[in-house]
Amino acid sequence: MAAQLQTYYSEPQRHYHTLAHITYMLKAFDASGRKENAIELAIWFHDCVYDPLKGSPWNERQSIQVWEEFCDSIKPKAMTDLKEPVSVLIEATILHRLPDTLPEGLTVSQVAVFLDLDMSILADSPSAYETYSQQIRQEYLHFPDKEYRLGRSKVLQSFLLHDRIFLGEETEAMEERARVNIQGELSRLQVA
């Protein structure tokens, strides 16, 4: 499966949703000192299907299907116990909020950590954020500039409307950096 995941994340339509994104999340997860298999597997599988023409929630649902088919092909009890928790983690990336109900073996803290890892690029340095925003634009080159600026602005404004972008504990500094980065991108989109 490792080779298949590498193939997925190396597809030509990807510029941000690549192995570099997975590596970024894995490094941050490792630095957190947490060792939950469900989070690590969700990191690997959450964007394995990514087609900018299809968008969300199609990509997430297809990624869940790839995960579940892999899980079913392995069959050890330890893996089957992770099937639903990992699927719920991936599904949570559709709206980037905590699900109303959680399966056995998955905690609110785990979901928050995973979602925060996925969004952590928003709170990175201004130069890393600028690279990220350019990579996202590359993934959506099929949209003309004006249409892209309007759509991207709506996405970014929706982040700012949330009381909190990051759901975990002690994420205030990340929250502040992310909001500054997002405001900066919104300003650039309006000027363009």
Side-chain angles (χ1 to χ4, degrees):
M1 189 64 194
Q4 184 61 48
L5 287 171
Q6 185 170 358
T7 299
Y8 284 136
Y9 286 108
S10 300
E11 294 168 335
Q13 77 275 14
R14 296 171 183 259
H15 298 273
Y16 171 71
H17 295 90
T18 64
L19 284 172
H21 170 55
I22 301 306
T23 301
Y24 182 93
M25 288 180 70
L26 288 170
K27 284 182 180 177
F29 179 56
D30 188 49
S32 76
R34 298 179 73 119
K35 301 289 182 202
E36 290 108 335
N37 291 333
I39 294 174
E40 187 169 349
L41 287 164
I43 290 170
W44 277 106
F45 282 88
H46 80 285
D47 283 329
C48 68
V49 175
Y50 185 75
D51 182 346
L53 295 172
K54 303 272 177 128
S56 184
W58 186 86
N59 288 316
E60 292 84 356
R61 299 228 190 282
Q62 295 302 306
S63 294
I64 290 168
Q65 184 175 335
V66 170
W67 155 250
E68 290 182 348
E69 287 172 2
F70 168 70
C71 199
D72 291 343
S73 72
I74 299 295
K75 298 200 190 233
K77 179 159 176 30
M79 191 62 81
T80 56
D81 288 348
L82 289 169
K83 182 177 178 180
E84 187 178 8
V86 172
S87 293
V88 168
L89 287 170
I90 297 170
E91 188 169 20
T93 65
I94 294 171
L95 298 175
H96 272 273
R97 65 176 187 220
L98 299 172
D100 294 331
T101 59
L102 294 174
E104 186 177 327
L106 190 64
T107 66
V108 169
S109 173
Q110 289 173 306
V111 179
V113 165
F114 173 67
L115 292 177
D116 288 355
L117 288 168
D118 193 32
M119 299 290 271
S120 61
I121 187 65
L122 301 178
D124 208 321
S125 69
S127 62
Y129 184 91
E130 176 66 21
T131 299
Y132 150 76
S133 65
Q134 291 170 1
Q135 291 168 334
I136 293 295
R137 178 60 180 123
Q138 289 298 306
E139 290 182 345
Y140 288 90
L141 276 178
H142 54 280
F143 286 110
D145 282 342
K146 184 177 180 181
E147 192 176 338
Y148 176 79
R149 286 194 315 269
L150 287 171
R152 181 69 176 161
S153 293
K154 282 174 103 174
V155 168
L156 295 172
Q157 288 165 348
S158 74
F159 291 151
L160 295 177
L161 289 175
H162 288 91
D163 291 335
R164 294 179 63 198
I165 297 169
F166 297 98
L167 305 171
E169 297 177 12
E170 299 180 24
T171 56
E172 294 81 12
M174 290 176 68
E175 188 78 30
E176 188 175 320
R177 284 192 310 272
R179 289 180 183 277
V180 168
N181 283 335
I182 291 168
Q183 289 287 4
E185 184 178 359
L186 280 168
S187 296
R188 289 188 297 277
L189 289 167
Q190 290 169 357
V191 169

